[in-house]
Amino acid sequence: MTGSPPESVVLPATDGAVGAAGPVAGRLLAGRAATLADHLGRHGPLPQAVAQGGRRTPPPLLEAVERAGLTGRGGAGFPTARKLRAVAGRRGRSVVVVNAMESEPASRKDRLLLDAAPHLVLDGAVLAALAVGADTVHVCLPRDGAGRPRQLDVPLEERLRSRIDPVRLRVHALPDAYVSSESTALVRWLDGGPALPRGSTPHSHERGVGRRPTLVQNAETLAHLALIARRGPDWFRAAGTPDEPGTALVTVSGGVAAPGVLEVALGTPVATILDGASGNAADLQAVLLGGFGGTWLPAAHGGTPFTRRALAPFGAAPGAGVLVALPRAACGLAETARILAFLAAHSARQCGPCRFGLPAVAEDFAALADGRGDAAVLSRLHRRTALLPGRGACRHPDGAGRLAASALRAFADDADRHLSRGPCPAAHRTPNIPVPPTTPEETWR
């Protein structure tokens, strides 16, 4: 997607939801870049008093976020208030890290948010810092070709001149690699190491940057937090479902006429989201939900609400807010094979599942897509994809295994035909899903 950021579009939720399109239109995005003056004119000053509390007394912001039911928008969907409490409850001065890396190739939501509403994200980071007792906010962005962060120079200069922030804001340019956006990779890089995930322990909220309690939050999550601080939890819950309230930014691409970023109420049916991007459900065979480490959902289930609870029976989740529509004329096996090759090449290569498991799965899937797999290729793929989850140093192998397993389910008939009759004509057509080069960045530093 190039050119000016698209307007924010809010789609109505299902019948079981509270909100509708009208009352929540333009929550996060105004459709054009907002200066600090524009931002303050629209949202008002930073409500610092809402965030400040003693180390033993939960601040009003923490309570408001808990009542709002805000969950992380970076992919895991973890309750935001629980993360805030985990950091606020630790001894010593804390640190806040803004994860704006967005290394998911199919996502553009955080990039657009930082273009259109950067001060909303920075407000949320400052408020979170005050709530957990942090004196520094580290903003992690992918580096451009010159080694500089891609965004935020102008907004940060505006805030520095205005002296509105009671904590330090520091921007960092990290290697633009797929696994460098993992939260422990950010902590590791900020501590002077490579931008690679580390083991699951110690947890960042226990010992993160500089061995201090560290809160790592996605950019969109912090923008929602800033709005909750100003407008309250009831306002936030006016959209979405009772169990999963609020709106979310989603990137829609693939077989749609108007790809872009939409703001949708959680609970909106998947097919309705695609309609918002001028998609035609009758022309689709499946939708990739969550991104490259996500799940293929057959088009027949397009009426499923876009929530974690509704998608769970299909092994799917909203993830990073990605929907890629696959036309009937495309080959789902070939599209999956290209993504798996990318995931295998862009792993951290720190553990067995990434060094050996992913390449083996990617190779077998490529053979299946090309119609050159042996008689045992399907049984090997089922066995190996089941072995990947939960065995790596990070969640990268889990996502690849999830994607491969869902493709074997969604395109089972195609797999049988590829093995018995050879590849379908669509297997060698121009890819429907753009996949970046499979050669990762030379350095992680």
Side-chain angles (χ1 to χ4, degrees):
M1 295 182 296
T2 58
S4 302
E7 292 288 335
S8 171
V9 178
V10 182
L11 301 179
T14 59
D15 291 340
V18 179
V24 296
R27 279 188 166 195
L28 293 176
L29 303 175
R32 61 186 179 84
T35 66
L36 181 57
D38 294 334
H39 169 75
L40 294 176
R42 183 180 184 204
H43 297 293
L46 191 72
Q48 295 178 17
V50 174
Q52 293 172 320
R55 295 294 288 178
R56 296 179 180 274
T57 304
L61 176 63
L62 204 156
E63 296 174 353
V65 171
E66 189 165 50
R67 285 178 51 210
L70 175 65
T71 55
R73 299 298 196 251
F78 195 80
T80 303
R82 196 180 304 173
K83 291 184 73 171
L84 289 165
R85 286 188 186 277
V87 176
R90 306 295 296 185
R91 292 182 178 180
R93 183 65 69 178
S94 304
V95 176
V96 169
V97 176
V98 180
N99 187 349
M101 293 296 294
E102 196 168 42
S103 59
E104 165 56 54
S107 180
R108 293 292 183 274
K109 69 181 182 68
D110 290 342
R111 210 166 305 176
L112 175 61
L113 181 60
L114 289 175
D115 279 339
H119 294 292
L120 208 54
V121 176
L122 296 174
D123 279 357
V126 170
L127 290 166
L130 295 174
V132 301
D135 58 2
T136 302
V137 171
H138 297 283
V139 184
C140 293
L141 295 164
R143 63 175 61 144
D144 61 17
R148 292 178 51 80
R150 289 182 183 167
Q151 295 168 294
L152 292 183
D153 283 353
V154 173
L156 286 168
E157 179 67 25
E158 288 182 302
R159 297 177 80 93
L160 184 63
R161 287 198 308 266
S162 300
R163 299 185 178 183
I164 65 170
D165 295 318
V167 300
R168 289 177 296 174
L169 296 177
R170 299 184 59 190
V171 177
H172 305 270
L174 275 68
D176 190 8
Y178 188 80
V179 295
S180 62
S181 64
E182 206 269 346
S183 62
T184 63
L186 304 185
V187 170
R188 196 172 176 182
W189 192 90
L190 290 169
D191 275 340
L196 292 172
R198 67 184 187 196
S200 58
T201 56
H203 299 293
S204 297
H205 74 267
E206 297 170 329
R207 192 164 75 238
V209 179
R211 304 176 69 85
R212 293 159 63 179
T214 300
L215 174 74
V216 182
Q217 285 287 13
N218 166 260
E220 183 193 341
T221 309
L222 291 168
H224 285 294
L225 185 148
L227 290 176
I228 292 170
R230 287 177 165 98
R231 306 191 182 203
D234 291 340
W235 171 87
F236 182 78
R237 298 186 73 93
T241 72
D243 292 330
E244 300 184 42
T247 65
L249 298 179
V250 297
T251 308
V252 186
S253 62
V256 295
V261 177
L262 308 178
E263 185 174 6
V264 305
L266 290 176
T268 304
V270 170
T272 304
I273 299 175
L274 296 175
D275 288 344
S278 299
N280 185 350
D283 294 336
L284 303 180
Q285 58 173 311
V287 182
L288 178 59
L289 294 174
F292 278 23
T295 305
W296 286 107
L297 181 75
H301 301 299
T304 306
F306 191 68
T307 62
R308 297 184 69 83
R309 172 173 291 188
L311 292 170
F314 304 99
V322 169
L323 287 83
V324 185
L326 185 71
R328 292 190 180 280
C331 176
L333 297 175
E335 301 286 352
T336 303
R338 296 183 190 103
I339 296 174
L340 288 172
F342 170 87
L343 294 176
H346 283 257
S347 74
R349 298 182 293 281
Q350 297 182 127
C351 59
C354 278
R355 294 183 63 190
F356 307 111
L358 290 188
V361 169
E363 183 178 345
D364 271 346
F365 221 99
L368 175 63
D370 290 341
R372 53 182 173 82
D374 57 45
V377 67
L378 282 177
S379 62
R380 281 200 309 273
L381 279 171
H382 283 292
R383 183 177 70 256
R384 286 171 171 170
T385 54
L387 290 173
L388 287 176
R391 295 174 180 266
C394 68
R395 297 295 184 185
H396 184 68
D398 300 42
R402 180 168 50 245
L403 173 72
S406 72
L408 293 175
R409 293 192 302 269
F411 311 119
D413 292 343
D414 294 336
D416 290 338
R417 283 194 292 268
H418 275 228
L419 290 177
S420 61
R421 306 177 193 173
C424 62
H428 299 109
R429 290 176 186 162
T430 302
N432 182 74
I433 304 174
V435 177
T438 56
T439 301
E441 186 170 326
E442 291 290 334
T443 178
W444 304 94
R445 295 184 180 275

